[in-house]
Structures are given as C-alpha cells and as structure tokens.
Amino acid sequence: MIGGIAIALILGAVTWTFLEYCIHRWLGHDRRFRPNFFGEEHIRHHSEGNYFAAAWKKAVMAAIVLALLVGPTLLLGGGLLGSLYIAGIVLAYLAYEWFHHHEHVSPGGTRYGRFTRRHHFYHHFVDPKVNHGVTSPIWDFVFRTYRRPDQIGVPRRLQMVWLADPATGEVWPQHQGGYALRGPAPRQP
Ligand SMILES: [Zn+2]
Ligand SMILES: [Zn+2]
C-alpha cells in the first residue's frame, strides 16, 4: 500500500511536469491556440520581464485544469489513489510556481538552480520556441525542443534583479560567463 501511495504521488508530479510543458508550449507560444487566458498572461510575463499573473488568475486556471482531471482520475484510480495522484499534481504545480518565481528573483544557490535558470532565460531572451520546461528540461528532450544555452543576451530593461550590480550596471562577475546585458545603458547622472 505504501508503494501504491508513493507511486500515485510520483505519477502526479510527473504528470504536472508534462502539463507544465504543454501549457507553456501550446497555450503560451503557439498562435493556433491564441487568444487564450494563459497565453495573454504569459506574453505579458515575457514582454514585461518580471510580471507574474495575479494569484486569483492562477487559481482560476488551476481550478479549470483540476475540474477536467478529477472525474476521470477518480474513476480510473479509485478514491484513495486517485486523490493522491491529484495531490501529486497540485503539490508539483505549487512547487513549480515557487521555482519559477525564484528563477526570476534570485540567482540560484545550486548547480541545478543555475542550470534551470539558463534554460529558462534562454527561452525568455534568445528563442521562445525552445526550452519550454521551467522546472526541468525533460519534456524538451522528449519533444526535441531542447537547446543548450550559449551566452544569453538579456535586454537591459528586462533584466533579472540578481543579474547586475545596480551601482555600476555591470553583470556581476560570477554571471558574466553565462549572461550579457544588451540595449542602451542608463545615463549616468
Ligand atoms: Zn519566466
Ligand atoms: Zn514562455
């Protein structure tokens, strides 16, 4: 039984990573599916850099996805395992929200954190048609949309708060191998 519980939770989390890829790639970036609720918010996230949709909008979107999943899941998986599978999806979704936000607001303290940031900011600033996974590149490998980032040119007006020294406007030395700022420098007073 313990094995079944763990498998249901893990399958739920893996399902979320797949949903994360599909929602981002097709609702966020495929013109055939626009306009749509997620796409509008996501384009703003790209064009304004540090814009994140309001919590209530995320909650509406999550409720719609859950409403579609709950019926078939409980029918197929039964009450307990079906509920745990849904719990796995919800927990992984909440972890994704936390993770994505932190990619934008903090430099990342681990190798994996730095890797996923480069993966994500390559998508943001170099090619929005690739690297759709935010918490991992797994589904980019599966769908052949993975690109290994070289140096990422970040528009100055969209830069992440952790990228450059606010006093000089220069990229911090530890990030210079991976990122460069482009666009006009702010005028010195
Ligand atoms: Zn982002
Ligand atoms: Zn995107």
Side-chain angles (χ1 to χ4, degrees), residues 154-167:
V154 180
R156 224 169 265 277
R157 67 175 191 90
L158 298 177
Q159 67 181 281
M160 300 76 86
V161 286
W162 49 263
L163 184 62
D165 181 347

Side-chain angles (χ1 to χ4, degrees), residues 45-50 124-125 154-160:
H45 174 62
H46 271 263
S47 62
E48 293 179 29
N50 295 309
H124 261 272
F125 302 125
V154 180
R156 224 169 265 277
R157 67 175 191 90
L158 298 177
Q159 67 181 281
M160 300 76 86

Side-chain angles (χ1 to χ4, degrees), residues 24 42 45-46 49 51-52 100 103-104 120-121 123-124 134:
H24 186 192
H42 190 64
H45 174 62
H46 271 263
Y51 170 80
F52 286 90
H100 181 210
E103 285 181 337
H104 281 263
H120 186 56
F121 292 118
H123 166 84
H124 261 272
V134 175

Side-chain angles (χ1 to χ4, degrees), residues 19-94:
L19 289 173
E20 172 191 305
Y21 181 92
C22 295
I23 291 169
H24 186 192
R25 176 172 176 182
W26 284 293
L27 292 184
H29 288 283
D30 191 324
R31 287 177 193 281
R32 289 173 297 176
F33 300 106
R34 293 225 304 266
N36 70 71
F37 188 63
F38 175 82
E40 300 313 300
E41 292 294 316
H42 190 64
I43 294 311
R44 249 187 105 178
H45 174 62
H46 271 263
S47 62
E48 293 179 29
N50 295 309
Y51 170 80
F52 286 90
W56 73 266
K57 291 183 182 173
K58 292 178 194 289
V60 168
M61 177 88 185
I64 294 169
V65 174
L66 271 183
L68 294 172
L69 285 173
V70 164
T73 301
L74 295 185
L75 219 67
L76 289 170
L80 177 63
L81 292 181
S83 308
L84 287 165
Y85 173 75
I86 297 280
I89 296 178
V90 171
L91 289 173
Y93 163 69
L94 292 172

